[in-house]
């Protein structure tokens, strides 16, 4: 299966908690397209991508929020 998600905004605690609650086994054979706007900080973006990568195979396309973290 192929899934797509965008605008995770894990800077907000509720969104991060939702992400952490994703099953670590239900999506192992699936592909996930992460279409940007994960967070405003590079550490949060990296943490979210690492967590999603442990759930499924992922492909990431930056959004406008990721463009703001260029200087970090």
């Amino acid at each position: 299966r192929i899934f797509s998600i965008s605008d995770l905004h894990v800077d907000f605690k509720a969104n991060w908690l939702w992400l952490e609650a994703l099953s670590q086994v239900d999506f192992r054979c699936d592909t996930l397209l992460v279409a940007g706007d994960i967070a405003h900080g590079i550490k949060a973006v990296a943490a979210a991508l690492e967590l999603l990568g442990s759930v499924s195979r992922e492909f990431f396309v930056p959004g406008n929020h990721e463009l703001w973290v260029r200087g970090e």
Side-chain angles (χ1 to χ4, degrees):
R1 301 179 297 182
I2 299 173
F3 294 96
S4 177
I5 192 166
S6 68
D7 297 282
L8 288 170
H9 300 286
V10 298
D11 306 284
F12 296 99
K13 186 174 182 175
N15 294 354
W16 178 258
L17 293 175
W18 175 85
L19 187 65
E20 283 186 316
L22 288 175
S23 171
Q24 295 290 310
V25 294
D26 291 345
F27 307 105
R28 299 298 286 159
C29 297
D30 298 330
T31 298
L32 177 64
L33 173 61
V34 183
D37 292 355
I38 295 175
H40 290 128
I42 193 69
K43 290 180 183 177
V45 171
L49 289 174
E50 184 176 338
L51 183 58
L52 288 168
S54 69
V55 172
S56 66
R57 182 178 39 189
E58 66 184 349
F59 295 92
F60 171 61
V61 179
N64 65 309
H65 288 267
E66 284 75 38
L67 295 176
W68 298 340
V69 299
R70 294 182 317 173
E72 287 187 39

